[in-house]
Amino acid sequence: MTKGKVAIMSNQQESSFAAKEKLTTLLKAADYTIDQNDPEIIISIGGDGTFLSAFHMFDHKLNHVRFLGVHTGHLGFYTDWRDFELEELVSNLSNDEHPPVSYPLLDVQVKDRYQTQPQRFLALNEATIKRATRTMVADVYIKDEIFERFRGDGLSVSTPTGSTAYNKSVGGAVLHPRINAFQLAEIASLNNRVFRTLGSPIIISDSEWLTVHLEESSDYLVTIDRFTIQHDEIEWLSFKIADERVHFASYRHMHFWHRVKDAFIGEI
Ligand code: NAP
Ligand code: MN
């Protein structure tokens, strides 16, 4: 009797290939089927970046799959298992006693001049909008009400688990992933007597949404996690907490703040 279908996604590191090979053998011995196309469980081997790629490969069927991350480098935010713990990982998977864990995602819509319908994306870390050559001028709306007129390099909108990634580099707050909310952070805003933005990151609840209307539409880069979308004629973008969530298999409980300390502070 087969236990379930597992896909394994790894990065190009030698140690990740080795872990993939070993894990494949262990999973088969435990009656799992390796199915790279239609899995129930997706195991990523590498770093957080590898996990992001694995996530996007299956982001159209999030209600039917569970993810698990093995790290071959430093401890990650989406990767719980080390590559020397693969036996334990497989036996944990077989009698999964871990409480179900899922994290919020960001629903991103991008509307350009030519399409009648906006394009929809899901972000696990964040979405950013940046202007490459000139100042980005945009009206920021919260729940369809104008909040501020932004001038600067761009804006970052992140999930709680993405708050430790790009968001943190641009001065955003680190948000515990049990908080079902998303965050807007400014990237180099222009502030003087004429141009005013709030100047600090804001955290937006799951019952609210954010819309960014661009004054001019050329020269914009939109990023969704690892991916960049080049769009010449963007009119607006909107952001809210998605209905979908990312679900984990055999999630190793680790105190979120411990993970943050481990990643950014180390021993004191
Ligand atoms: P990358 O340039 O290899 O990643 C940048 C670093 O961010 C890597 O060390 C990566 O960890 C780490 N990272 C990814 N997600 C994280 C998270 N949720 N919390 C804490 N650290 C995280 O690119 P990548 O591996 O494809 O990752 C894409 C992400 O990188 C983007 O979503 C963005 O958040 C972030 N990024 C940050 C900056 C910046 O801080 N200035 C610039 C570009 C992109 P691993 O080594 O484990 O992969
Ligand atoms: Mn990476």
Side-chain angles (χ1 to χ4, degrees):
M1 190 196 75
T2 173
K3 279 198 185 123
K5 296 182 284 182
V6 184
I8 308 175
M9 308 286 153
S10 81
N11 63 9
Q12 300 298 310
Q13 260 180 294
E14 202 58 56
S15 55
S16 300
F17 284 136
K20 181 176 180 174
E21 208 162 297
K22 180 162 183 204
L23 188 56
T24 303
T25 309
L26 289 169
L27 284 168
K28 284 180 177 164
D31 289 330
Y32 286 93
T33 310
I34 303 298
D35 188 332
Q36 297 291 94
N37 299 312
D38 186 28
E40 293 148 342
I41 295 167
I42 297 138
I43 302 181
S44 93
I45 305 177
D48 282 328
T50 320
F51 190 95
L52 287 170
S53 293
F55 168 81
H56 282 287
M57 232 170 268
F58 296 98
D59 64 3
H60 54 287
K61 44 170 118 181
L62 292 176
N63 291 329
H64 308 283
V65 296
R66 289 181 304 151
F67 292 86
L68 190 158
V70 175
H71 56 102
T72 45
H74 53 88
L75 171 72
F77 281 84
Y78 300 110
T79 57
D80 298 298
W81 294 85
R82 290 301 311 267
D83 51 359
F84 53 75
E85 303 171 308
L86 299 176
E87 284 90 353
E88 199 189 332
L89 186 163
V90 173
S91 76
N92 259 270
L93 210 53
S94 301
N95 36 67
D96 197 347
E97 286 158 4
H98 298 261
V101 168
S102 67
Y103 289 152
L105 299 168
L106 191 66
D107 180 305
V108 185
Q109 297 196 31
V110 182
K111 169 73 176 70
D112 72 24
R113 258 175 232 299
Y114 303 115
Q115 290 159 306
T116 48
Q117 292 296 318
Q119 244 186 307
R120 182 173 175 263
F121 304 92
L122 281 175
L124 177 55
N125 269 354
E126 79 284 293
T128 70
I129 166 93
K130 292 179 200 164
R131 197 163 195 198
T133 51
R134 299 169 60 196
T135 306
M136 165 169 151
V137 182
D139 287 331
V140 177
Y141 292 76
I142 301 176
K143 277 180 89 171
D144 298 334
E145 240 178 76
I146 181 83
F147 179 70
E148 63 185 7
R149 169 158 274 209
F150 175 88
R151 284 179 177 80
D153 281 2
L155 293 167
S156 158
V157 185
S158 63
T159 65
T161 50
S163 70
T164 47
Y166 187 73
N167 169 74
K168 188 174 178 300
S169 301
V170 295
V174 173
L175 213 62
H176 195 292
R178 257 200 315 268
I179 300 169
N180 208 30
F182 63 107
Q183 177 168 189
L184 172 70
E186 302 179 348
I187 308 168
S189 61
L190 232 151
N191 261 294
N192 53 39
R193 285 165 61 141
V194 184
F195 304 141
R196 290 240 64 78
T197 59
L198 184 66
S200 66
I202 60 174
I203 293 163
I204 298 156
S205 85
D206 59 354
S207 60
E208 300 178 318
W209 61 95
L210 191 82
T211 315
V212 175
H213 282 265
L214 301 172
E215 193 190 60
E216 281 183 84
S217 55
S218 67
D219 277 345
Y220 280 99
L221 280 183
V222 175
T223 69
I224 307 281
D225 298 335
R226 294 191 117 174
F227 309 105
T228 306
I229 313 156
Q230 211 155 356
H231 246 297
D232 259 350
E233 299 289 337
I234 302 178
E235 274 178 339
W236 55 260
L237 302 96
S238 74
F239 309 91
K240 63 177 184 185
I241 289 291
D243 296 332
E244 300 93 327
R245 293 170 68 90
V246 57
H247 297 273
F248 289 86
S250 283
Y251 193 85
R252 255 264 193 92
H253 183 74
M254 185 188 288
H255 204 284
F256 176 71
W257 297 116
H258 175 86
R259 221 180 264 256
V260 174
K261 175 175 172 277
D262 189 274
F264 297 108
I265 298 167
E267 286 312 312
I268 305 166

